[in-house]
Amino acid sequence: MNSDSEKNYNFRTDLADERRDLYRKANHIENEVEGIEAEEEQIDEKIKVTRVKITNEQGERAIGKVRGSYITIDIKKINLLTEEEQEKACSTLANELKRLVGEKIQFKEDVLVVGLGNEEVTPDALGPNVIKEVEVTRHIINYLPQYIDENARPVSAIAPGVLGTTGIETLEIIKGVVEHTKPKLLIVIDALASRSMERISSTIQISNTGIVPGAGVGNTRKELTEATLGIPVIAIGIPTVVETAVVVNDALDIFIEKLQQEAKSNDYLNRLKAEDNYEQIKEALLPKEFNFIVTPKEIDELILNMSSVVAKGINMSL
Amino acid sequence: MNSDSEKNYNFRTDLADERRDLYRKANHIENEVEGIEAEEEQIDEKIKVTRVKITNEQGERAIGKVRGSYITIDIKKINLLTEEEQEKACSTLANELKRLVGEKIQFKEDVLVVGLGNEEVTPDALGPNVIKEVEVTRHIINYLPQYIDENARPVSAIAPGVLGTTGIETLEIIKGVVEHTKPKLLIVIDALASRSMERISSTIQISNTGIVPGAGVGNTRKELTEATLGIPVIAIGIPTVVETAVVVNDALDIFIEKLQQEAKSNDYLNRLKAEDNYEQIKEALLPKEFNFIVTPKEIDELILNMSSVVAKGINMSL
Amino acid sequence: MNSDSEKNYNFRTDLADERRDLYRKANHIENEVEGIEAEEEQIDEKIKVTRVKITNEQGERAIGKVRGSYITIDIKKINLLTEEEQEKACSTLANELKRLVGEKIQFKEDVLVVGLGNEEVTPDALGPNVIKEVEVTRHIINYLPQYIDENARPVSAIAPGVLGTTGIETLEIIKGVVEHTKPKLLIVIDALASRSMERISSTIQISNTGIVPGAGVGNTRKELTEATLGIPVIAIGIPTVVETAVVVNDALDIFIEKLQQEAKSNDYLNRLKAEDNYEQIKEALLPKEFNFIVTPKEIDELILNMSSVVAKGINMSL
Amino acid sequence: MNSDSEKNYNFRTDLADERRDLYRKANHIENEVEGIEAEEEQIDEKIKVTRVKITNEQGERAIGKVRGSYITIDIKKINLLTEEEQEKACSTLANELKRLVGEKIQFKEDVLVVGLGNEEVTPDALGPNVIKEVEVTRHIINYLPQYIDENARPVSAIAPGVLGTTGIETLEIIKGVVEHTKPKLLIVIDALASRSMERISSTIQISNTGIVPGAGVGNTRKELTEATLGIPVIAIGIPTVVETAVVVNDALDIFIEKLQQEAKSNDYLNRLKAEDNYEQIKEALLPKEFNFIVTPKEIDELILNMSSVVAKGINMSL
């Protein structure tokens, strides 16, 4: 497999974690991929942290992501967390975030939090929902400093809306705000596409590389990165939708696996399973207008729970 | 195939229309099924009406639905209707509804509209949303008759919530309301499960047989029918979710079809396609907690559009 | 002053507490009114409880309320409570409620919580909002008893809507539900009218006498009481609106007081102040369509905070 | 009365129309004020347009507003408009707006619509609500010109939030967006304070002078005008709140008028009525924390109706 085919591989996931797994599976790599470092930490029964670092060009090419840190926090059954478990999820996020922020800016330097997405579309409302719960302090520090701890960090927050409802590129809005309010770091919250339904609104990816809004579902907008904005950008991404072809591809594997267990499979099916059939499935579904982007029935509650975890995590870390 | 296996057949759709198709396919029936009459009417480019009538026990057994009329209105691309096309959709619904209502009660007799579902869950909010737009007149006729046309029909409307949030069976609430307000007919709006993603919030099924709330997604509640309530019940059902196993089963057929066209299929796959593999797929997915109930990403907008069509249709017909 | 004029006195407040004050002021009574017992308890700096008991007919006639307990909890600046203070407010409500409930029914007997009001009208949304946060258990105890503590009390909850949007009297709905679900006690949450803007969504009145929905703002509906429903009814009422004439009457007093302090008043004004001018002000404002029912600009946040306090208080007490 | 006292006069209304009336009353002017031109047009029974033009410094000083056009559209009982009457209200707004826009920019030049206010606060949600219904075209013209009429004007729209929830001055956000998207004209929608409860969400003021957000209720933010933004700014303002002292002041006049009619008034009261007692009333109410900003109970519905009228009016005009 040469690098060209690697580049063209469609991971249909924005999670570095999943891409690394896919790459290793596709290339039958048992050990770690060159240019990628990874470690896992099981925080408790329900929370797991995976830290993936891409260290060189080879790693970049392998999984199609730029050099940097990609931290994935998986929370099992986020809908059913006890108050204590939720607190744990928030503090886990806060710790990872604090570390990444601390690598980029000084204590007390100004942070702008940006919540991407469309409030009117449930699976896309996570960003704007988080913004509503972020504790903003910049205006108090500017106008009423006597009412706030003198060590408070100036925090501001904005939900810029989406191109479809504003007619304006997100980058155009954020660039203007950054120029006029001069934060030292951006935290951007975005909804992602994932490969797996059970990660919907249950997984958080934090990275220090910025993001390209909407990359996961096929819309390329202009990226929000240090290159385009002039300040470091930390991205918090949460999967909220999957593509039907992805679901079918994975379900097909599970189905063939069962046929194998029941000794009902055959060579052809075994080969089907060994390969990744996403592209063919997609090609089959597309002309029938069958390749919907879907989300679980419970998405309202999942988004509500996750918004709260992310907002509290941000508030604790800043 | 004996009647027992027929009875056990899991159609995983609440649409009589789809069940009839499935039954004919499964039993290789070219003509109409015994005990079932059906006719189609293409209203315009975007709107099609299918009227299925189950006339005897044989028809009942075939598709697992009780005797009565089942009218399906399919609206193509409900998100993109012009104002005029939306008007047409409303009047199509109003006409079918007026006919069914007219068969059961007199002009000016009292109607209660019930919107089932949970307002906080987007794909389940259709019923409560419709209720908000239904024009209620019963209290005006009772208390301020001078402000209303003397031929107005008394209409009342209620959204009783769902068992999970009230702790009360829908039937217990509705029965009480019916006993105290004494309507002559009930119109019940409910979200259904369908087999096909493109029918989500784009298809309306009207039937004069009443309904069993939540039947489509595996919750059996007590039914809302003339037998339990003592007055005729007209059900308006709209598909809003599908099961992953259904999506995968259908996608598998599409996928194998494509392999066949490319001469890449084999006997085993051909047989797979000829059969219905839903049960096996479901069995494979369930232990992996993979059999999610899903809904399209655009569900908010779809529900909004459909709520408006149904409410206007009801208002026009009463 | 004879009892007739007493009966006709328009208190334009639903709070027993305020009525008692008004009655004493109007009748120049320094001590307690005959047939009324009252005690105050300052829970902490922000929370005060006033317990008014009407013990005989004389008390009933004095303030136009039936025999029973009326407990008022005043919470200062509910918008600015710390988490701990909010907890205190909830437990204060829970304690009073637990006592009243305990006087009427046994441990583990069935309770139905009813949230009156219209969710679409911010100052009227308190009841439905509370219902969303009440923990219902009746269905779990009925269907999945293994998942719940065996000492759990069956709790169900319903928001029946308002006559204007359902066309149905609240009593008709609740009566039906009570007959079919057979609770032993009702807790009804309702928005009230108060005399004072600062009590808006900051005061809770609990009484064991039931309520007449909408009494405060001039709509008489059929009452929800033990007499009409056959089971004890505990009412939780929260002021959310005031009438312009009330505001003006009170403001006029404050204004004249200031004129007096500045020695700018005169006999006529002093007399104006000594009297209650509400009726005359109302008569003046009504023909100009000036007697609006108003609510503070911050009502959304006030309702949000109060809904949370009431729901948590109910959950803790049951 | 010298010009200083004029300048200091607190009109507590943002409507030029009301200020002109107040100024004439306060200064006993029967004819038009110097430097102010005004005309009224009764469109139909329910809709009246008043066009006030401030032409020189004297006019500016008189009513504390800068030179320019101030057009007030009054809609009676906006809650009860028929569809036809609503259409009329929209086209009246569209006509006035089209004229003001046409005086400033060319056909097809780019317009940015800005909806000020806080979506979470009902009386402050008008701006963001309008933005949701404005038809944006800029992105279609930029990226998919084949899908839109070639004469379409590029329109974009943004709801920048409020300082209290973003920590960012509105001007900082809008300035950035204007620099990056380079519109030729701004239309800004804002909630105003009025003197009269019946104008709440029933009156629209359009002016070609820009606005100072929040001016009406005592928050001074940086202004949005051609001076600060470099492009013409058309303001659409809708009253949504009033101050208690204003209500009391007006009610006091009505009350004394009634006393006069009943020959119960006296010299002192007559003088009270002839004067404006707002400042004294406010001084009396403030120490008692009684000077609330209030809004009618029906504000949700009023805002809904007005948002729809403004959005449709803007869409028709652009």
Side-chain angles (χ1 to χ4, degrees):
Chain A
M1 190 181 245
N2 64 30
S3 65
D4 281 342
S5 70
E6 279 164 19
K7 258 188 218 152
N8 290 324
Y9 189 77
N10 181 340
F11 288 101
R12 62 265 175 205
T13 169
D14 300 317
L15 297 177
D17 185 16
E18 290 187 346
R19 288 196 178 185
R20 175 177 148 264
D21 288 349
L22 287 168
Y23 182 84
R24 286 163 74 200
K25 188 184 166 192
N27 294 280
H28 311 290
I29 297 173
E30 299 254 324
N31 304 319
E32 196 47 82
V33 182
E34 267 278 327
I36 295 183
E37 293 167 12
E39 60 169 46
E40 283 194 8
E41 188 184 346
Q42 192 75 35
I43 303 292
D44 63 18
E45 242 177 72
K46 296 226 175 141
I47 304 172
K48 194 181 80 177
V49 177
T50 310
R51 297 183 193 86
V52 172
K53 204 172 245 169
I54 303 179
T55 55
N56 64 23
E57 212 196 313
Q58 223 171 330
E60 287 188 329
R61 253 183 314 151
I63 65 172
K65 292 219 160 237
V66 298
R67 248 161 283 196
S69 290
Y70 299 85
I71 298 156
T72 311
I73 303 173
D74 285 302
I75 306 166
K76 264 194 212 158
K77 305 212 180 283
I78 195 171
N79 277 7
L80 304 171
L81 297 186
T82 63
E83 219 166 292
E84 207 182 321
E85 290 169 338
Q86 213 215 31
E87 197 63 26
K88 190 77 192 167
C90 299
S91 68
T92 302
L93 170 57
N95 289 338
E96 300 296 327
L97 205 50
K98 206 181 286 178
R99 203 165 39 75
L100 289 192
V101 171
E103 287 168 14
K104 299 284 185 183
I105 58 168
Q106 301 296 314
F107 163 69
K108 285 187 65 174
E109 284 189 315
D110 208 318
V111 170
L112 169 61
V113 185
V114 176
L116 301 181
N118 184 348
E119 209 186 325
E120 310 284 301
V121 174
T122 306
D124 204 25
L126 197 125
N129 281 1
V130 169
I131 291 306
K132 285 182 196 163
E133 295 183 57
V134 167
E135 285 162 14
V136 299
T137 55
R138 181 174 175 267
H139 59 307
I140 307 176
I141 293 171
N142 283 356
Y143 299 114
L144 302 161
Q146 67 274 27
Y147 286 114
I148 197 161
D149 188 285
E150 61 171 21
N151 287 321
R153 182 198 292 280
V155 176
S156 51
I158 190 169
V162 294
L163 182 64
T165 62
T166 62
I168 311 173
E169 292 288 352
T170 301
L171 181 63
E172 294 174 310
I173 299 175
I174 300 308
K175 218 168 179 173
V177 174
V178 166
E179 284 163 12
H180 284 276
T181 68
K182 304 203 189 317
K184 291 286 178 283
L185 181 138
L186 222 66
I187 295 178
V188 185
I189 300 128
D190 195 18
L192 304 180
S194 158
R195 282 186 65 89
S196 62
M197 199 70 88
E198 72 261 33
R199 280 188 134 170
I200 295 297
S201 211
S202 301
T203 287
I204 307 167
Q205 173 176 276
I206 320 167
S207 80
N208 58 7
T209 59
I211 58 165
V212 181
V217 290
N219 318 313
T220 34
R221 298 271 175 282
K222 286 151 198 162
E223 56 180 42
L224 297 175
T225 60
E226 185 156 6
T228 58
L229 288 162
I231 53 171
V233 180
I234 290 178
I236 299 180
I238 288 101
T240 63
V241 291
V242 297
E243 203 186 335
T244 298
V246 170
V247 176
V248 172
N249 187 38
D250 290 359
L252 190 61
D253 285 0
I254 297 176
F255 178 47
I256 297 176
E257 196 182 327
K258 184 158 172 281
L259 294 178
Q260 289 170 337
Q261 284 162 3
E262 296 169 0
K264 288 202 236 156
S265 189
N266 60 25
D267 278 3
Y268 187 82
L269 285 179
N270 297 347
R271 219 163 48 236
L272 261 188
K273 184 168 180 305
E275 284 163 18
D276 183 62
N277 307 287
Y278 166 78
E279 291 295 346
Q280 291 96 306
I281 293 172
K282 191 173 163 184
E283 267 169 49
L285 299 184
L286 271 184
K288 310 264 178 182
E289 298 199 27
F290 202 87
N291 195 28
F292 292 89
I293 308 293
V294 299
T295 195
K297 182 176 190 286
E298 299 76 14
I299 188 67
D300 297 82
E301 202 190 354
L302 288 164
I303 290 283
L304 220 63
N305 285 308
M306 184 49 100
S307 299
S308 172
V309 167
V310 173
K312 280 182 196 156
I314 291 175
N315 290 338
M316 283 163 73
S317 76
L318 296 180
Chain B
M1 191 183 244
N2 64 30
S3 65
D4 281 343
S5 70
E6 279 165 19
K7 257 186 217 154
N8 291 324
Y9 188 78
N10 181 340
F11 288 101
R12 63 264 176 203
T13 170
D14 299 318
L15 298 176
D17 184 15
E18 290 187 346
R19 289 196 178 186
R20 174 178 149 265
D21 288 347
L22 287 168
Y23 183 84
R24 286 164 72 199
K25 188 184 166 192
N27 294 280
H28 311 289
I29 298 172
E30 299 254 325
N31 303 319
E32 196 47 82
V33 182
E34 268 278 327
I36 295 183
E37 294 167 11
E39 61 169 44
E40 283 194 9
E41 186 184 348
Q42 193 76 34
I43 302 293
D44 62 19
E45 241 177 73
K46 297 225 174 143
I47 303 171
K48 193 181 81 179
V49 177
T50 311
R51 297 184 192 85
V52 172
K53 203 173 246 169
I54 303 179
T55 55
N56 64 24
E57 211 195 315
Q58 222 171 330
E60 286 187 330
R61 253 182 315 152
I63 66 170
K65 293 218 160 239
V66 299
R67 248 162 283 195
S69 291
Y70 298 85
I71 298 156
T72 312
I73 304 173
D74 285 301
I75 306 166
K76 263 194 213 159
K77 304 211 180 286
I78 194 171
N79 278 7
L80 304 171
L81 297 186
T82 63
E83 220 166 292
E84 207 182 321
E85 289 169 338
Q86 213 216 32
E87 197 63 27
K88 191 76 192 167
C90 299
S91 68
T92 303
L93 170 57
N95 289 338
E96 300 296 327
L97 205 50
K98 206 181 286 178
R99 202 165 40 75
L100 289 191
V101 171
E103 287 168 15
K104 299 283 185 182
I105 59 170
Q106 301 297 314
F107 163 69
K108 283 187 67 174
E109 283 189 315
D110 208 318
V111 171
L112 169 60
V113 185
V114 176
L116 301 181
N118 184 348
E119 209 186 324
E120 310 283 302
V121 174
T122 306
D124 204 25
L126 197 125
N129 281 1
V130 170
I131 291 307
K132 286 182 196 163
E133 295 183 57
V134 167
E135 285 162 15
V136 299
T137 54
R138 181 175 175 268
H139 59 308
I140 307 177
I141 293 171
N142 282 357
Y143 298 114
L144 301 161
Q146 67 275 27
Y147 287 114
I148 196 161
D149 188 285
E150 61 171 20
N151 287 322
R153 181 199 292 280
V155 176
S156 51
I158 191 169
V162 294
L163 182 64
T165 63
T166 62
I168 311 172
E169 292 288 351
T170 300
L171 180 63
E172 292 175 311
I173 300 175
I174 299 308
K175 218 169 178 172
V177 174
V178 166
E179 284 163 14
H180 284 276
T181 68
K182 303 201 190 320
K184 291 286 177 283
L185 180 136
L186 222 65
I187 295 177
V188 185
I189 300 127
D190 195 18
L192 305 179
S194 158
R195 282 186 65 88
S196 62
M197 198 72 85
E198 73 261 33
R199 280 187 134 170
I200 294 296
S201 211
S202 301
T203 287
I204 307 167
Q205 173 175 277
I206 320 166
S207 81
N208 58 6
T209 60
I211 57 165
V212 181
V217 290
N219 317 313
T220 34
R221 299 271 174 282
K222 285 151 196 162
E223 57 180 42
L224 298 175
T225 60
E226 185 155 6
T228 59
L229 288 162
I231 53 170
V233 180
I234 290 178
I236 299 180
I238 289 100
T240 63
V241 291
V242 296
E243 204 186 335
T244 298
V246 169
V247 176
V248 172
N249 186 39
D250 289 359
L252 190 62
D253 284 1
I254 298 176
F255 178 47
I256 296 175
E257 195 181 327
K258 184 157 172 282
L259 294 178
Q260 289 169 337
Q261 285 161 3
E262 297 169 1
K264 289 201 234 155
S265 189
N266 60 25
D267 278 5
Y268 187 82
L269 285 178
N270 296 347
R271 218 163 50 236
L272 262 187
K273 184 168 180 305
E275 284 164 19
D276 182 61
N277 308 287
Y278 166 79
E279 290 295 346
Q280 290 96 307
I281 292 172
K282 191 173 163 184
E283 269 170 47
L285 298 183
L286 271 184
K288 310 264 178 184
E289 299 200 26
F290 202 88
N291 195 27
F292 292 88
I293 308 294
V294 299
T295 196
K297 182 178 192 284
E298 299 75 15
I299 188 67
D300 297 82
E301 202 190 354
L302 288 164
I303 290 283
L304 220 63
N305 285 308
M306 184 50 101
S307 299
S308 172
V309 167
V310 173
K312 280 182 196 155
I314 291 175
N315 291 337
M316 283 163 73
S317 76
L318 297 179
Chain C
M1 190 183 247
N2 64 30
S3 65
D4 280 344
S5 70
E6 280 164 20
K7 259 190 221 152
N8 291 324
Y9 188 78
N10 181 339
F11 289 99
R12 63 263 176 205
T13 169
D14 300 317
L15 297 176
D17 184 17
E18 290 187 345
R19 289 197 178 185
R20 174 178 149 264
D21 289 349
L22 287 167
Y23 183 85
R24 286 164 73 200
K25 188 184 167 192
N27 294 282
H28 311 289
I29 298 171
E30 299 254 323
N31 303 319
E32 197 46 81
V33 183
E34 267 277 326
I36 295 183
E37 294 167 11
E39 60 169 44
E40 282 194 8
E41 186 184 347
Q42 192 76 35
I43 303 292
D44 62 19
E45 242 177 72
K46 298 226 174 140
I47 304 171
K48 194 182 80 178
V49 176
T50 311
R51 297 184 192 84
V52 172
K53 204 172 243 169
I54 303 179
T55 56
N56 64 23
E57 210 195 314
Q58 223 170 329
E60 286 187 330
R61 252 182 315 151
I63 66 171
K65 293 219 159 238
V66 297
R67 248 161 284 193
S69 291
Y70 300 85
I71 298 156
T72 311
I73 304 173
D74 284 302
I75 306 167
K76 264 194 212 158
K77 304 211 181 285
I78 194 171
N79 278 6
L80 304 171
L81 297 187
T82 63
E83 220 166 292
E84 208 182 321
E85 288 169 340
Q86 213 217 30
E87 197 64 25
K88 191 78 193 164
C90 298
S91 67
T92 304
L93 169 57
N95 289 338
E96 300 297 327
L97 204 51
K98 206 181 286 180
R99 203 166 39 73
L100 290 191
V101 171
E103 286 168 16
K104 299 285 185 182
I105 58 170
Q106 302 296 314
F107 162 70
K108 285 187 64 173
E109 284 189 315
D110 208 319
V111 170
L112 169 61
V113 185
V114 176
L116 301 180
N118 184 349
E119 209 186 326
E120 311 283 301
V121 175
T122 305
D124 204 25
L126 197 123
N129 282 0
V130 169
I131 291 307
K132 285 182 197 165
E133 295 184 55
V134 167
E135 285 162 15
V136 299
T137 54
R138 182 176 174 267
H139 59 310
I140 307 178
I141 294 169
N142 283 357
Y143 299 115
L144 301 161
Q146 67 274 28
Y147 286 114
I148 197 162
D149 188 285
E150 61 171 19
N151 288 321
R153 183 199 290 281
V155 176
S156 50
I158 190 169
V162 295
L163 182 63
T165 62
T166 62
I168 311 172
E169 291 290 351
T170 300
L171 182 63
E172 293 174 310
I173 299 175
I174 300 308
K175 220 170 177 171
V177 175
V178 166
E179 285 163 14
H180 285 275
T181 68
K182 303 201 189 321
K184 292 284 176 286
L185 181 136
L186 222 65
I187 295 178
V188 185
I189 300 128
D190 195 17
L192 305 178
S194 159
R195 282 187 64 88
S196 62
M197 197 70 86
E198 73 262 33
R199 280 189 134 171
I200 294 296
S201 209
S202 302
T203 287
I204 307 167
Q205 174 175 278
I206 320 167
S207 81
N208 58 7
T209 59
I211 59 165
V212 180
V217 290
N219 318 313
T220 34
R221 300 272 175 284
K222 287 150 196 162
E223 57 180 42
L224 297 176
T225 60
E226 184 155 4
T228 59
L229 288 162
I231 53 171
V233 180
I234 290 178
I236 299 181
I238 288 99
T240 62
V241 292
V242 297
E243 202 186 336
T244 297
V246 170
V247 177
V248 172
N249 186 38
D250 290 358
L252 190 61
D253 284 2
I254 298 176
F255 178 49
I256 296 176
E257 194 181 327
K258 183 157 174 280
L259 294 178
Q260 289 170 337
Q261 283 160 4
E262 297 169 0
K264 288 200 236 157
S265 190
N266 61 24
D267 278 3
Y268 187 82
L269 284 179
N270 297 346
R271 219 165 47 239
L272 261 187
K273 183 169 180 304
E275 285 164 17
D276 182 62
N277 306 288
Y278 165 79
E279 291 295 347
Q280 292 95 306
I281 291 172
K282 190 173 163 183
E283 269 170 46
L285 298 184
L286 271 184
K288 311 264 178 181
E289 297 197 29
F290 201 86
N291 195 28
F292 292 89
I293 308 293
V294 298
T295 195
K297 182 179 192 286
E298 300 75 15
I299 188 66
D300 298 81
E301 201 189 355
L302 289 163
I303 290 284
L304 220 63
N305 285 307
M306 185 48 103
S307 299
S308 172
V309 167
V310 173
K312 280 182 196 157
I314 291 175
N315 290 337
M316 283 163 72
S317 76
L318 295 180
Chain D
M1 190 183 245
N2 64 30
S3 65
D4 280 343
S5 70
E6 279 165 19
K7 260 188 217 154
N8 290 323
Y9 188 77
N10 181 339
F11 288 100
R12 62 263 175 205
T13 170
D14 300 316
L15 297 176
D17 184 17
E18 289 186 346
R19 289 198 178 184
R20 174 178 149 265
D21 288 349
L22 286 168
Y23 183 85
R24 287 163 72 199
K25 187 184 169 194
N27 294 280
H28 311 290
I29 297 171
E30 300 253 324
N31 303 319
E32 197 46 80
V33 183
E34 268 279 328
I36 295 183
E37 293 168 12
E39 61 169 44
E40 283 194 8
E41 186 185 348
Q42 192 76 35
I43 303 292
D44 62 20
E45 242 178 71
K46 297 227 174 139
I47 303 173
K48 194 182 80 178
V49 177
T50 311
R51 296 183 194 85
V52 172
K53 204 173 244 169
I54 303 179
T55 55
N56 65 23
E57 211 194 313
Q58 223 170 330
E60 286 187 330
R61 252 181 317 151
I63 66 171
K65 293 218 160 240
V66 298
R67 248 161 283 193
S69 291
Y70 299 85
I71 299 156
T72 311
I73 304 173
D74 285 302
I75 306 166
K76 263 194 212 159
K77 304 211 181 285
I78 194 171
N79 278 6
L80 304 171
L81 295 187
T82 63
E83 219 165 294
E84 207 182 323
E85 289 169 339
Q86 213 216 32
E87 197 64 26
K88 191 77 192 165
C90 298
S91 68
T92 303
L93 170 56
N95 289 338
E96 299 297 328
L97 205 50
K98 206 181 287 181
R99 202 164 40 73
L100 290 192
V101 171
E103 286 168 15
K104 299 285 186 183
I105 58 169
Q106 302 297 314
F107 162 70
K108 284 187 66 173
E109 284 189 313
D110 206 319
V111 170
L112 170 61
V113 185
V114 176
L116 300 180
N118 184 348
E119 209 187 325
E120 310 283 302
V121 175
T122 306
D124 204 24
L126 197 124
N129 282 1
V130 169
I131 291 307
K132 285 181 198 165
E133 295 184 54
V134 168
E135 285 162 15
V136 299
T137 54
R138 183 176 174 267
H139 59 309
I140 307 177
I141 294 171
N142 282 357
Y143 299 114
L144 302 161
Q146 67 275 28
Y147 286 113
I148 197 161
D149 188 286
E150 62 171 20
N151 287 322
R153 184 198 290 281
V155 176
S156 50
I158 190 168
V162 295
L163 184 64
T165 62
T166 62
I168 311 173
E169 291 290 351
T170 301
L171 181 63
E172 294 174 309
I173 299 175
I174 300 309
K175 220 169 177 172
V177 174
V178 166
E179 285 163 13
H180 285 276
T181 67
K182 303 200 190 319
K184 291 285 177 283
L185 181 136
L186 223 65
I187 295 178
V188 185
I189 300 128
D190 195 19
L192 305 178
S194 159
R195 283 187 64 88
S196 62
M197 198 70 86
E198 73 262 34
R199 282 189 132 170
I200 295 295
S201 210
S202 301
T203 288
I204 307 167
Q205 174 175 277
I206 320 167
S207 81
N208 57 8
T209 60
I211 58 164
V212 181
V217 290
N219 317 313
T220 35
R221 301 271 174 283
K222 287 152 196 160
E223 56 180 44
L224 297 175
T225 59
E226 184 156 4
T228 60
L229 287 163
I231 52 171
V233 180
I234 291 178
I236 299 181
I238 289 100
T240 62
V241 292
V242 297
E243 203 186 335
T244 298
V246 170
V247 176
V248 172
N249 186 38
D250 289 357
L252 190 61
D253 283 2
I254 298 176
F255 179 48
I256 297 176
E257 194 182 328
K258 183 156 174 282
L259 294 178
Q260 288 170 338
Q261 284 161 6
E262 297 168 1
K264 288 201 238 155
S265 189
N266 60 24
D267 278 4
Y268 186 82
L269 285 178
N270 297 346
R271 219 165 46 237
L272 261 187
K273 185 171 178 306
E275 285 164 18
D276 181 61
N277 307 287
Y278 166 79
E279 290 294 346
Q280 291 95 306
I281 291 171
K282 190 173 163 184
E283 267 169 48
L285 298 183
L286 270 184
K288 311 264 179 183
E289 298 198 27
F290 202 87
N291 194 27
F292 292 88
I293 308 292
V294 299
T295 195
K297 183 178 190 286
E298 300 75 14
I299 188 67
D300 297 81
E301 201 189 355
L302 288 164
I303 290 283
L304 220 64
N305 285 309
M306 185 48 102
S307 299
S308 172
V309 167
V310 173
K312 280 183 197 155
I314 291 175
N315 290 337
M316 282 163 73
S317 76
L318 294 180

